[in-house]
Amino acid sequence: MTDVARLRESDAALQPELVALRRALHQEPEIGMELPLTQAKVLAALEGLPLTITLGKQLSSVTAVLHGAKPGPAVLLRGDMDALPVQEAEGLEYASRIPGAMHACGHDLHTAGLVGAARLLCGLREELAGSVVFMFQPAEEGEGGARVMVEEGVLDAAGERVVAGYALHVAASVLPNGWAATRPGPVMAAADVLRVTMHGRGGHGSSPHLALDPVPAACEAVIALQTMVTRRFDAFDPVVVTVGTFHAGTANNVIPDDAVFSATIRSFSPQSRALVHTEAVRVVRGIAEAHGLAVDAVIEEGYPVTVNDAGEAGFAAETARRVLGADRYIEMPHAVAGSEDFAVVGELVPSAYLMLGACPPGRDLFTAPYNHSPEAAFDDSVLADAAALLAGLALGRLAR
């Protein structure tokens, strides 16, 4: 029996156990760095396996290492564990019991899938030529848990630096259920924040000539940033600038002292990322100066571009075809403007990041609520696929 056939046979047997774990995680979602309930569930699910386990110091992470019976390199598999501050809208029987918290991005499936991969690979330990590091990560949703885990040594947890890293992410729509997708090169965007405060001089709304109004200047800056995107950047190496907050004033007849706005900035290459940081600040400062205003304009750096190593992406695509079937793999036509802190791993070791469709049956693939929506839903049936795909990536890479 081939390794793939054995994986699929074993993961089918694991499916009920993984569904139970995923639903338990879904009912008690936790946000950020501290996930004690989630950590406890992961540890319970790994109990009895031949793993060396280390817990995080600055966050509720779990790093589990499987040393194969044969010598070889080490590879890393990542599953993020944190939820979002979203109130769940779906009336699922296993819906979140925590007000204002929900696994709206499917990280409960990632965690259960990685547990499944660990169980599958432990069953093949005698044949394993090398080690596998299972990275159960908190705080993917904006707080940078991957960087903290890297600082605490996750890449070297097997006793040597891992030679490759792999992660997958479920999608609540767009990608057909059980289908995998990836691509070489940029696969997810960098995400940064522009924060701007225009400082003017307040006054009466009837006499703007006696004040120094920051509102028109701030409005002009918002529009100018959109024009900048279309004039200063290659359409084939795009950036996205979206102003999400704008605050000024307290009454309709009062000119405020300040106008404040913030924007998310997405980019797909280090070159465009550096340029948009410079250009966005330059545009805002130029407009402020033209209006005689002082301005604070700062960039807060978030996650870098998630870049798939070309060789690892090709290997991941071939593994998906073998594990899931050739008819359940498609190459992504372009990168996605979402961001992902697995990018931190990808900057340090050759890596591949895949998407896995998890749209529930009965929902229209193109109109179903996407990840982060309070109505987002993910189908449990892909848990065995996730476990087998992650395990297959580790097996295949160590067999090279």
Side-chain angles (χ1 to χ4, degrees):
M1 185 182 292
T2 67
D3 284 343
V4 169
R6 292 165 66 193
L7 281 177
R8 294 317 317 231
E9 183 179 90
S10 298
D11 74 17
L14 274 178
Q15 175 71 5
E17 178 183 329
L18 299 183
V19 169
L21 174 59
R22 182 259 162 152
R23 294 188 175 193
L25 292 165
H26 193 88
Q27 289 178 314
E28 294 187 299
E30 296 176 291
I31 297 167
M33 294 279 194
E34 293 300 322
L35 317 176
L37 299 175
T38 303
Q39 184 186 60
K41 290 182 179 68
V42 169
L43 292 173
L46 299 178
E47 188 173 0
L49 298 178
L51 299 167
T52 302
I53 293 178
T54 305
L55 304 185
K57 298 179 178 65
Q58 302 176 65
L59 72 178
S60 299
S61 62
V62 177
T63 299
V65 180
L66 172 64
H67 292 289
K70 301 175 183 179
V75 298
L76 178 143
L77 303 176
R78 195 288 301 261
D80 39 3
M81 305 190 295
D82 57 321
L84 285 158
V86 172
Q87 181 64 44
E88 187 162 4
E90 285 295 293
L92 299 173
E93 60 179 285
Y94 54 91
S96 170
R97 297 172 180 170
I98 310 299
M102 176 191 174
H103 271 295
C105 204
H107 294 186
D108 49 341
L109 282 85
H110 302 170
T111 303
L114 188 56
V115 166
R119 298 188 75 84
L120 291 172
L121 291 169
C122 284
L124 299 171
R125 180 178 178 274
E126 294 305 313
E127 303 166 35
L128 205 62
S131 302
V132 183
V133 177
F134 302 94
M135 177 182 177
F136 292 91
Q137 181 208 314
E140 190 281 323
E141 297 288 358
E143 293 187 52
R147 189 173 300 281
V148 177
M149 289 191 72
V150 167
E151 291 170 354
E152 293 191 353
V154 69
L155 299 183
D156 304 297
E160 59 183 314
R161 178 58 56 101
V162 297
V163 296
Y166 306 101
L168 60 78
H169 202 301
V170 292
S173 59
V174 181
L175 191 62
N177 185 293
W179 284 43
T182 192
R183 68 189 304 273
V187 66
M188 299 283 275
D192 304 303
V193 179
L194 170 66
R195 299 194 187 278
V196 176
T197 302
M198 294 279 189
H199 299 288
R201 185 175 65 251
H204 199 291
S206 66
S207 305
H209 61 290
L210 299 178
L212 198 56
D213 193 345
V215 175
C219 292
E220 186 178 330
V222 170
I223 300 302
L225 288 169
Q226 307 308 309
T227 304
M228 173 203 72
V229 166
T230 66
R231 302 297 92 183
R232 295 289 289 131
F233 293 91
D234 186 340
F236 297 100
D237 186 11
V239 302
V240 177
V241 177
T242 297
V243 175
T245 69
F246 192 110
H247 301 286
T250 56
N252 69 296
N253 62 348
V254 176
I255 294 172
D257 287 328
D258 301 320
V260 179
F261 68 87
S262 64
T264 186
I265 299 177
R266 308 293 169 123
S267 53
F268 297 92
S269 72
Q271 296 78 17
S272 283
R273 188 185 190 198
L275 182 60
V276 72
H277 289 184
T278 300
E279 289 297 287
V281 171
R282 184 185 65 81
V283 165
V284 168
R285 287 177 176 168
I287 290 171
E289 183 178 359
H291 285 263
L293 302 173
V295 64
D296 296 320
V298 297
I299 298 287
E300 296 177 1
E301 291 195 4
Y303 297 157
V305 184
T306 304
V307 180
N308 277 351
D309 175 82
E312 295 301 340
F315 162 69
E318 180 55 33
T319 301
R321 293 188 188 98
R322 287 191 299 107
V323 173
L324 303 178
D327 59 339
R328 286 208 279 153
Y329 174 78
I330 185 171
E331 182 163 315
M332 295 169 63
H334 51 73
V336 177
S339 65
E340 165 64 67
D341 77 342
F342 187 69
V344 174
V345 174
E347 287 186 322
L348 298 171
V349 298
S351 298
Y353 183 87
L354 303 90
M355 300 299 295
L356 180 65
C359 184
R363 288 196 168 195
D364 184 273
L365 192 62
F366 300 104
T367 61
Y370 195 61
N371 299 24
H372 287 221
S373 167
E375 298 176 342
F378 303 89
D379 186 19
D380 287 331
S381 70
V382 304
L383 288 169
D385 290 333
L389 181 52
L390 287 168
L393 287 165
L395 273 177
R397 183 61 182 85
L398 292 179
R400 269 198 236 167

